[in-house]
Amino acid sequence: MLPPPSPHEQLVFLDHIQRLFEEGEFVATYKYALLHAITELAIEFGTDSGDTLDLFHSQIADKFLEVYWRQVVPYRANDEGGVLIQNKGRQAAVIVLLQDIRGRHGTLPMARASQEWRVAVRETVRLLKEMPLWRLQILRRQESRFLYIPGAGPFIRLLPGVMFNLRRFHGLLQQLIRAAWTSHIRSNPKNAALLGDRDDLEEVLFGTDRASLALVKPILKDLQGDTCFYCQRRLGEMGEVDHFIAWSRYPRDLGHNFVLAHRRCNGDKRDLLAAIEHLERWRNRNVVQGATLKRELEGQFVCDEPTTLRVAQWSYEHGFAASSQSWQRTGQVVPLDEGYRRILQERFPTPPDPAATAA
Ligand SMILES: [Zn+2]
């Protein structure tokens, strides 16, 4: 296992990233989506070492399509509505492909399970190889391989230290990608009429899908016995769906990451990591009720428990390294306790299912 990159090497990486964004030759938004995809894959499949990481072209293409999925919904600033243009020329090919699939299948998990999705992944692999995969590393018209090299097969290999840096600087990268992507779409004259003077573009492009989240409420309410996930008191209201690992840390709707909480509890927790007692309850919930959750939600959301666990490990590991505070209850935070490691181990002791004992 290679050691993490030195502080100097991390700075060199950030300098490359800065140059990538300064470069004004982004014809389409593909490069942003590609960087987003690779970063998220490094979190989901990587570790915090300086090692290389191999990512299959098909894996990148699948993630790439997912990144664009929510962006093919017509944007409605006026009565007409329409899909935002992601390219300075004709509409980006990926968008056209996805629009058709979304029209047929409606939700991401349904689309993913379809034959058309597999075709789209193949088509996207072709597109990635033709266009953005190699162009992402052209800085000031010169190729500068600072992220990856082609693998000896259908994959790319992230260079030593890159996986670590993508995981370490994920928050910063997200912000850069969103800002640049939003501004690309806004500055495209073809979108002007559609956008009007509304200022919710970033939220529409990258926010969580509130309408879909509403569907989760009754399911969680039932599973949690009408109590708030955090304070354990009776809900007494519809409550709010909270991303246990906050959306700002990992902006992706995974079924096992949802909990239902009082509006007040959710609002106070915000982007913080939940304290260890909540983490234990959450892990417990996913072990005991994970299968039920998957059954209820998989038509609507991606339900992938192992990935959810790895994301939590990454999130708590980085929170601990940064001496983060964790959220305990309204108005109270405490330093993050090292006990998260035991809780997030792969093999978590399975507690008895209360429902089974009752029966
Ligand atoms: Zn509460």
Side-chain angles (χ1 to χ4, degrees):
M1 198 167 77
L2 294 172
S6 68
H8 174 71
E9 287 164 332
Q10 293 181 33
L11 275 177
V12 170
F13 172 82
L14 287 177
D15 186 51
H16 274 118
I17 291 289
Q18 180 166 297
R19 282 166 55 192
L20 185 150
F21 279 94
E22 279 170 358
E23 165 123 347
E25 295 179 46
F26 283 32
V27 179
T29 54
Y30 286 158
K31 280 191 190 177
Y32 308 126
L34 180 60
L35 189 59
H36 180 122
I38 290 173
T39 307
E40 214 162 85
L41 289 170
I43 287 172
E44 292 169 3
F45 297 99
T47 59
D48 290 313
S49 76
D51 284 350
T52 60
L53 177 70
D54 291 349
L55 298 174
F56 284 97
H57 294 157
S58 56
Q59 217 177 352
I60 300 170
D62 180 78
K63 184 63 94 179
F64 190 82
L65 289 169
E66 187 182 316
V67 173
Y68 276 109
W69 176 258
R70 59 168 299 120
Q71 308 204 351
V72 301
V73 179
Y75 180 86
R76 294 185 190 285
N78 48 41
D79 293 341
E80 298 271 306
V83 173
L84 293 161
I85 307 289
Q86 303 265 358
N87 200 333
K88 291 272 154 74
R90 279 183 304 154
Q91 175 64 296
V94 162
I95 295 288
V96 179
L97 257 175
L98 273 176
Q99 256 179 296
D100 180 51
I101 298 179
R102 186 152 187 155
R104 281 172 208 235
H105 299 283
T107 70
L108 181 61
M110 307 275 249
R112 258 221 168 103
S114 72
Q115 176 62 26
E116 287 98 328
W117 186 272
R118 284 188 286 280
V119 174
V121 166
R122 276 203 299 276
E123 185 58 24
T124 306
V125 165
R126 195 185 58 73
L127 181 92
L128 282 174
K129 287 201 288 199
E130 238 171 51
M131 277 263 296
L133 199 46
W134 310 119
R135 297 201 51 166
L136 191 59
Q137 305 192 100
I138 297 176
L139 302 175
R140 309 220 169 98
R141 303 196 177 181
Q142 269 196 338
E143 185 170 15
S144 165
R145 290 186 174 177
F146 72 101
L147 290 170
Y148 46 76
I149 51 167
F155 61 89
I156 60 167
R157 175 160 294 166
L158 298 188
L159 294 165
V162 169
M163 167 178 76
F164 177 95
N165 284 326
L166 293 174
R167 292 165 64 90
R168 166 92 203 261
F169 299 113
H170 173 259
L172 176 70
L173 286 167
Q174 282 296 328
Q175 287 184 23
L176 288 170
I177 292 169
R178 282 177 186 211
W181 195 329
T182 309
S183 128
H184 187 285
I185 288 186
R186 198 187 293 285
S187 66
N188 188 339
K190 290 181 182 166
N191 289 324
L194 204 52
L195 289 172
D197 50 9
R198 279 176 59 172
D199 61 356
D200 62 348
L201 182 57
E202 190 168 338
E203 175 63 22
V204 169
L205 292 175
F206 305 107
T208 178
D209 180 357
R210 309 251 162 230
S212 302
L213 283 190
L215 303 171
V216 184
K217 280 187 191 177
I219 296 164
L220 289 177
K221 203 172 160 83
D222 196 39
L223 277 179
Q224 292 176 200
D226 199 24
T227 55
C228 167
F229 181 82
Y230 293 110
C231 71
Q232 302 279 287
R233 297 202 186 94
R234 224 181 84 75
L235 262 176
E237 59 179 56
M238 253 336 269
E240 282 181 350
V241 177
D242 177 56
H243 292 86
F244 186 79
I245 301 298
W247 182 264
S248 62
R249 291 174 189 268
Y250 179 74
R252 187 177 176 218
D253 283 322
L254 288 180
H256 294 91
N257 193 33
F258 296 140
V259 297
L260 190 65
H262 286 122
R263 175 181 288 264
R264 186 175 140 91
C265 291
N266 183 31
D268 198 66
K269 172 178 171 266
R270 294 191 319 274
D271 300 339
L272 291 168
L273 290 168
I276 192 136
E277 59 268 35
H278 302 307
L279 180 67
E280 183 143 33
R281 195 179 317 114
W282 177 73
R283 184 76 213 278
N284 226 332
R285 191 275 312 258
N286 284 346
V287 169
V288 178
Q289 299 179 319
T292 314
L293 211 55
K294 182 169 174 0
R295 197 170 56 241
E296 298 280 347
L297 297 180
E298 68 184 346
Q300 201 70 29
F301 295 98
V302 175
C303 290
D304 179 348
E305 219 268 321
T307 297
T308 312
L309 179 60
R310 285 195 298 273
V311 170
Q313 283 162 343
W314 159 78
S315 194
Y316 275 82
E317 203 64 60
H318 282 253
F320 189 72
S323 311
S324 294
Q325 296 287 315
S326 63
W327 182 87
Q328 205 162 40
R329 68 179 77 95
T330 305
Q332 187 160 337
V333 292
V334 290
L336 181 57
D337 184 303
E338 205 168 353
Y340 73 88
R341 290 213 177 98
R342 173 188 59 80
I343 297 171
L344 293 176
Q345 272 167 7
E346 298 284 343
R347 292 170 63 82
F348 185 69
T350 313
D353 182 353
T357 349

